[in-house]
Amino acid sequence: MPKGAGRSGDSHPMTVNETVIALIRPKPNLDLAAGEPAEAVAAAQAAARAPDGIGTLASYATEVALPVKGTWKYPTTGSARADVVLTAALEAGVPLLFIEVDNCTEEAVLIAAKFARRRRPRPHRPQPP
């Protein structure tokens, strides 16, 4: 999760956090819903019955540099950054997933350019399960 995202209240880091939580789909503790309004109990029950999410919190990294040049540890200035990288999606059939989270503050042309930069081949060796 983005470091300090909750401190500033910035909308983008908070949206990134919400995206990760939505992908993980944590199951609620139904015992904690006891005594809550019927709508809250129904929502908790629906979430508990929903399909499992992808990975755990440790499976996700945020603001990961995708080096144009340099190394993964020391990317050059101007390298694209993925909002979220999911590295443990093998159970979903995806060895590596880059996620761009948008708050509709950028024009489509800028977002398309980000995807074009990230489409460049990069060496990746998936780890066996």
Side-chain angles (χ1 to χ4, degrees):
M1 301 292 233
K3 293 180 180 131
R7 282 185 276 182
S8 68
D10 272 352
S11 63
H12 187 263
M14 296 302 287
T15 304
V16 170
N17 285 350
E18 291 167 0
T19 301
V20 170
I21 291 167
L23 290 167
I24 293 172
R25 292 187 184 164
K27 300 294 182 187
N29 181 341
L30 295 177
D31 293 335
L32 297 176
E36 295 297 327
E39 296 86 6
V41 173
Q45 290 170 339
R49 288 189 307 269
D52 289 337
I54 302 171
T56 66
L57 190 57
S59 308
Y60 294 82
T62 58
E63 296 300 324
V64 177
L66 306 173
V68 176
K69 291 184 180 175
T71 64
W72 287 100
K73 188 171 182 177
Y74 300 107
T76 58
T77 303
S79 292
R81 288 192 171 270
D83 290 327
V84 180
V85 174
L86 172 58
T87 57
L90 289 176
E91 67 266 18
V94 181
L96 187 65
L97 180 63
F98 299 104
I99 301 167
E100 178 65 27
V101 178
D102 182 44
N103 283 344
C104 298
T105 57
E106 295 179 315
E107 293 182 22
V109 174
L110 293 174
I111 295 170
K114 286 182 181 183
F115 286 117
R117 284 194 309 266
R118 293 173 188 170
R119 230 183 319 219
R120 293 185 190 132
R122 288 178 179 72
H124 173 67
R125 295 175 194 92
Q127 299 298 316

